Structure formats: C-alpha cells, structure tokens
Amino acid sequence: MSDPGTAGPPLFIVLNQGSGSDDAAQVRQQIGDVLVRAGREHRFLQAARGSDVPVMAREAVAAAQASRGIVVAAGGDGTINTVVNAVLGTGCTMGVLPQGTFNYFGRAQGIPQDTVQATECLLTGTPQPVQVGLVNDRAFVVNASLGLYPQLLQDREAYKQRYGRSRWVAAWAAVLSLLHAHRPLRLELSNGQQVRSIRTPTLFVGNNGLQLSQIGIAEAPAVEQGDLVAITLRPVGTLAMAWLMLRGAFGQLGEANDVFSFAFDSMQVRPAAPFGRRRMKVAADGEVFRMRAPLQFRVAPQPLMLIKPLAAIAPASADPVNSP
C-alpha cells in the first residue's frame, strides 16, 4: 500500500502488463505519481500475463470490500471485462485506466485515453451506473459474439503476439482470417415468444453505442435505452465479406442488404437441431471462451457503478479493424 491519505477511498489497481503498447513500468509510474501527489492511498496488483488477471481481480475485490475501496482496471477492453466480471454484484465501485488498442469502453464513458488524465479523473469523477450485458453468466461491456468474429479475434491475438500490438497488425490479421473458409452457423433465436431460424457466419451482440454508431448500425441509441443490439449477416463469399468490413470501416455496415440488426433486452440462442446442447466458441470483449448452449443474452439486472468524469469527453474517431 502506498502513501496513505485522507483524500478518498483506497484504490486497488489491476495492471495488465500485456495491454497496449506502452511500457508497463512507465504506466505504473505515471499512475503512481498522480496518486502520490494527491495523497491517495493505492495498491498495484500487477499481472505479468493475461491469465493472471482473474486472480489479481479477485484479490482486488476482496481488498476493496474489506476497506470500502475502489477496484481499478488498467488495461484494454479484455482486462476491463475480466475485472468487471469480478466486480459485478459485489457492491464495489470500479474505475478504468484505458491501456488497450481500441479502448471502446473507456471512450464510450468519456474517460480520457491519456494515462495521467484518466488517473486524475479517478480523483475527481463520481460513481455512475453503466449497463452491462450478460451471455449466460459472463458479463460484457462492449460486445459478445459467436461464429466468425471470435475466430477473427483469436487470429488477431496470435498475430499481435508475433508482430506486436498495433491497429495495422489487427487489420492484417482480419484480412488473412477472411481468406480461410468458414462454415456458417445454423442458429435458433428466441425472445420467449417467437423462434427464428437463421444461417449466418456470425452473430454479434453489441453493448457499446459508440462502436455500433461508428460502423453504421441504426439501433445504436438503443444501448442508452437499456437494450442490447444484435447483428447477423447472410452467408456471403470472401470478397463480399471483405466489402462488408470495408463498409463498416466507413460507417455504412447497417445499410448493406446482407446485414440485419435489431434491439432486444433478452434473447436465447441455440444451434439448430440436432446440436442444441453442444459447446460454442463465444467472444466477450475480445476474450474467447467455450460455453454450453443454449446461450442467453440479456442485460444484467444490476448496473456497474463506474467512476466517470464530471463532464463527458467527446469520443475519438472510428476504428475500422474492430468492427464485426
């Protein structure tokens, strides 16, 4: 624990060394300098690898509960997702210091992308409720998906580990992924009243109005009204899929004839018979898991209490390589 003070509740900072391109030691120094100057009690829980983040997150939650402190995630959207899953339902307040490649969650909440400014917001901001999505019992704050999109994410991570973390590497990995054949999913979607059968390369569920609006989905405002937004595609060839990705980069995905989108608050998804109970590959905020069907997508009954700036900061420009 560093420099106890009376400036506010203690901060327990889960720092993922693998997120983003900045040196973790420099990031920690920047955060610590701001908090020491403010006399704010804080403790770093540093994860050497992404696989260490869940353990650090649970430790941070336990410490925050014992001292009425705040759990802070310093990392990309995947790190934030892991910490959210540890925090949600515990009564703890959470803060975010964006360190990833895209930082959709932080940007949508008006949190600065600069580490020093984001740390200062932890000191001056206030807890505000933020909607969380659930796929089965797994929380997500940006998006969750199955089919082609989780495969794109896995390929992107493999290329980042080999060539470094940058948006150009992510874009190139997406292009190479599309060159491989992908079998369409056969799914049954149910809202409790109607069942719809579809055949699609991917099902994408968004919980981030910024991302949805940037790729041109008309239902993006529904996130602010308490819903999630689903996007499905008709099965198309490689060139057509690449064209759809390009349209998403220019904010025109929702205008394409092969794209369908709709808002909902709860939806069950299962593979079409006879595979209704098999495990499916699901991505949540960039992290890929295996989950047993059926999958239940819904809005979490309780919001996440997040430290947000007093005045909203305008979000940055679109990111073409993180669109579905």
Side-chain angles (χ1 to χ4, degrees):
M1 196 73 72
S2 303
D3 292 344
T6 58
L11 304 174
F12 298 91
I13 305 165
V14 179
L15 175 62
N16 184 1
Q17 291 180 273
S19 294
S21 57
D22 292 333
D23 181 77
Q26 180 182 359
V27 169
R28 175 170 176 160
Q29 184 68 45
Q30 290 175 326
I31 297 169
D33 286 347
V34 173
L35 298 179
V36 168
R37 284 197 302 269
R40 187 66 170 266
E41 185 178 358
H42 63 282
R43 173 185 165 197
F44 286 97
L45 297 94
Q46 198 152 312
R49 302 175 300 274
S51 58
D52 296 331
V53 176
V55 176
M56 298 295 100
R58 290 192 295 268
E59 185 177 337
V61 168
Q65 288 178 313
S67 60
R68 296 184 180 180
I70 295 171
V71 179
V72 179
D77 286 332
T79 299
I80 293 169
N81 174 278
T82 301
V83 177
V84 167
N85 274 276
V87 169
L88 194 65
T90 66
C92 292
T93 297
M94 183 172 162
V96 167
L97 299 173
Q99 300 294 317
T101 306
F102 300 103
N103 297 323
Y104 268 111
F105 181 67
R107 290 163 55 204
Q109 305 305 325
I111 297 171
Q113 304 306 289
D114 177 79
T115 299
V116 171
Q117 293 179 11
T119 307
E120 291 171 345
C121 281
L122 286 178
L123 305 175
T124 60
T126 58
Q128 300 178 46
V130 172
Q131 174 174 296
V132 175
L134 295 175
V135 51
N136 290 354
D137 294 326
R138 182 79 196 183
F140 62 95
V141 292
V142 180
N143 60 58
S145 58
L146 54 151
L148 175 59
Y149 194 57
Q151 187 60 50
L152 292 177
L153 293 173
Q154 285 189 317
D155 293 345
R156 186 179 77 183
E157 189 61 28
Y159 275 87
K160 282 183 176 181
Q161 291 179 3
R162 186 172 180 180
Y163 299 109
R165 293 181 175 272
S166 76
R167 300 185 183 192
W168 291 112
V169 170
W172 180 242
V175 171
L176 293 180
S177 296
L178 290 178
L179 296 179
H180 296 86
H182 297 279
R183 181 182 299 176
L185 299 170
R186 294 181 181 272
L187 303 174
E188 293 179 352
L189 313 182
S190 172
N191 62 2
Q193 298 176 337
Q194 296 179 325
V195 178
R196 176 186 173 194
S197 297
I198 65 170
R199 185 169 173 265
T200 181
T202 191
L203 170 64
F204 181 95
V205 176
N207 185 37
N208 186 282
L210 172 63
Q211 185 185 49
L212 292 168
S213 63
Q214 286 183 347
I215 62 177
I217 301 301
E219 292 85 357
V223 173
E224 300 301 323
Q225 299 165 8
D227 283 338
L228 303 173
V229 175
I231 304 171
T232 66
L233 315 176
R234 283 198 183 103
V236 295
T238 299
L239 290 179
M241 182 66 73
W243 175 241
L244 289 176
M245 292 185 66
L246 188 61
R247 294 195 68 156
F250 287 95
Q252 300 173 351
L253 185 65
E255 301 172 13
N257 292 331
D258 294 318
V259 176
F260 304 91
S261 58
F262 56 92
F264 68 94
D265 59 2
S266 179
M267 177 175 67
Q268 186 181 90
V269 178
R270 67 168 66 241
F275 306 108
R277 296 189 64 81
R278 72 178 184 184
R279 287 188 175 273
M280 305 185 73
K281 186 182 294 184
V282 180
D285 297 338
E287 302 296 305
V288 181
F289 309 90
R290 288 277 182 180
M291 294 185 178
R292 185 173 293 280
L295 304 176
Q296 186 72 34
F297 290 89
R298 60 192 175 99
V299 174
Q302 293 182 334
L304 176 73
M305 296 306 296
L306 181 73
I307 301 292
K308 295 176 61 172
L310 296 177
I313 297 174
S317 59
D319 286 313
V321 295
N322 203 35
S323 58

